Each structure stands twice: as C-alpha cells, then as structure tokens.
Amino acid sequence: MHRLDCRARGTTGRAVGVCHAWGAAVCRDHTLVAHRTARRGPFGQSHEVTVRTARCTTSAAVQAA
C-alpha cells in the first residue's frame, strides 16, 4: 500500500501506518507521531495511559490552521 498523497504526486511512499484523524495511509516521510492521554479500563475503574498517535502531515497542517 502507498500513501494517498504520495500516489497523487506520482511517487511511491510505502505506507507504514494509518492517519488517526483521516484514516488514510501514511508513509515514513509524511508521518508525525504524537503522544496523547487516553482512558483505559471498565467504567469506574479506568485509568489514564499514554498512547502513540500517527497523523499525516496534511491533517496536522489543517488542524494547526
């Protein structure tokens, strides 16, 4: 699988993951990995954990605007 935007530009950026925001394939060169806090566990007994989130540079730029 190739990154959606790379394919549109005629390049073949091999996908290494999926954008958390848009669900599109992301390649190594156009991926931002961030950490966020999530809640895990059953209601009333949940606790916070730190998880990694992969985002494509395109969705990150839209969010920053």
Side-chain angles (χ1 to χ4, degrees), residues 15-48:
V16 296
V18 176
C19 176
H20 180 78
W22 291 357
V26 293
C27 70
R28 186 183 72 189
D29 295 335
H30 297 104
T31 302
L32 301 172
V33 177
H35 292 85
R36 65 181 181 87
T37 302
R39 298 199 63 77
R40 182 176 183 180
F43 181 73
Q45 298 175 1
S46 63
H47 60 280
E48 291 185 351

Side-chain angles (χ1 to χ4, degrees), residues 1-22:
M1 183 186 304
H2 299 282
R3 180 175 177 260
L4 180 64
D5 291 339
C6 289
R7 289 288 289 178
R9 293 183 185 123
T11 62
T12 55
R14 182 173 213 100
V16 296
V18 176
C19 176
H20 180 78
W22 291 357

